[in-house]
Amino acid sequence: AQSVTQLDSQVPVFEEAPVELRCNYSSSVSVYLFWYVQYPNQGLQLLLKYLSGSTLVESINGFEAEFNKSQTSFHLRKPSVHISDTAEYFCAVIGGGTSYGKLTFGQGTILTVHP
Amino acid sequence: KAGVTQTPRYLIKTRGQQVTLSCSPISGHRSVSWYQQTPGQGLQFLFEYFSETQRNKGNFPGRFSGRQFSNSRSEMNVSTLELGDSALYLCASSLGGPLNTEAFFGQGTRLTVV
């Protein structure tokens, strides 16, 4: 079984400041890791994913996340945030041979960007 | 290409009633997963269907059921509704490999039980 802990439920930040949203996971098997973003009254959109290879993965809108196997972490970072980044962010994992469709999500981090 | 479509977007039901939610996946996707999202419990996996077969199931009571049709469209049904079933129900579609490395979500159906 897997579990995901997002260490901050809310992160307020000013526009153009850097931000880090923290995610730790627990699993007895190898996992794939994801960050999803949810805007109000919307579904989830995939922001980025780690499957294998380079431990640093990037999204098209400036976010990046680094997979750290020894610390079982997959923190999300952005060097300069915009108002439009205000949303809820979910870290998720999937792993194991019979995990069909079963993403395990963290509790979410609400990122609020202030002008 | 069209995304994942969930209908209806909003529903209000009375305790004890039953409800059916629909999900149309992206064309070519054969896997559909369902999730329940609530403020208290977060996002929880309900079940996953692939080629009309349920391959995985979460820890929900038998009142929650689903099915998938030959065109990959899926429905989930909740019988004998309880107040605690009020939630955003999300479905996700993917190609259907064992680890579903890219799932695309619909906008959800907001169910309110009164």
Side-chain angles (χ1 to χ4, degrees), chain A residues 20-86:
Chain A
E20 178 180 77
L21 308 184
R22 297 179 292 168
C23 171
N24 286 98
Y25 70 93
S26 173
S27 177
S28 57
V29 299
S30 294
V31 296
Y32 294 162
L33 295 143
F34 307 84
W35 277 99
Y36 283 87
V37 59
Q38 186 176 37
Y39 299 99
N41 297 316
Q42 298 288 319
L44 301 173
Q45 297 174 29
L46 180 66
L47 195 58
L48 44 75
K49 60 185 177 183
Y50 172 77
L51 305 181
S52 64
S54 173
T55 57
L56 184 66
V57 290
E58 298 176 353
S59 72
I60 58 173
N61 56 356
F63 283 95
E64 64 179 31
E66 185 157 20
F67 170 58
N68 188 319
K69 189 174 182 180
S70 63
Q71 296 187 3
T72 60
S73 68
F74 191 55
H75 301 332
L76 181 70
R77 302 183 182 96
K78 189 171 186 181
S80 175
V81 294
H82 302 289
I83 298 285
S84 59
D85 293 324
T86 294

Side-chain angles (χ1 to χ4, degrees), chain A residues 34 38 42 49 94 101 103, chain B residues 35 37 99-102 107:
Chain A
F34 307 84
Q38 186 176 37
Q42 298 288 319
K49 60 185 177 183
I94 192 168
L103 286 160
Chain B
Y35 292 83
Q37 185 177 23
L99 293 178
N100 274 350
T101 55
E102 187 150 5
Q107 292 193 311

Side-chain angles (χ1 to χ4, degrees), chain A residues 32 34 36 49 94 96-103, chain B residues 1 4 25-33 35 45 47-56 68 72 92-104:
Chain A
Y32 294 162
F34 307 84
Y36 283 87
K49 60 185 177 183
I94 192 168
T98 56
S99 295
Y100 299 111
K102 186 178 179 180
L103 286 160
Chain B
K1 85 183 166 183
V4 179
I26 291 171
S27 177
H29 284 190
R30 296 168 65 190
S31 167
V32 174
S33 303
Y35 292 83
F45 173 76
F47 28 66
E48 189 258 6
Y49 287 86
F50 178 83
S51 292
E52 303 179 65
T53 299
Q54 185 183 90
R55 294 195 299 187
N56 204 354
Q68 186 180 35
S72 294
S93 82
S94 72
L95 291 171
L99 293 178
N100 274 350
T101 55
E102 187 150 5
F104 295 84

Side-chain angles (χ1 to χ4, degrees), chain B residues 22-110:
Chain B
S22 179
C23 173
S24 293
I26 291 171
S27 177
H29 284 190
R30 296 168 65 190
S31 167
V32 174
S33 303
W34 288 89
Y35 292 83
Q36 182 196 64
Q37 185 177 23
T38 59
Q41 299 298 314
L43 282 150
Q44 294 186 290
F45 173 76
L46 280 154
F47 28 66
E48 189 258 6
Y49 287 86
F50 178 83
S51 292
E52 303 179 65
T53 299
Q54 185 183 90
R55 294 195 299 187
N56 204 354
K57 188 176 188 304
N59 295 324
F60 278 82
R63 300 185 297 107
F64 291 82
S65 63
R67 60 178 175 168
Q68 186 180 35
F69 302 95
S70 58
N71 62 358
S72 294
R73 189 177 71 85
S74 177
E75 291 181 346
M76 67 163 283
N77 185 78
V78 188
S79 62
T80 319
L81 283 165
E82 301 177 359
L83 295 179
D85 297 332
S86 294
L88 180 66
Y89 290 89
L90 293 165
C91 87
S93 82
S94 72
L95 291 171
L99 293 178
N100 274 350
T101 55
E102 187 150 5
F104 295 84
F105 283 81
Q107 292 193 311
T109 294
R110 172 84 54 192

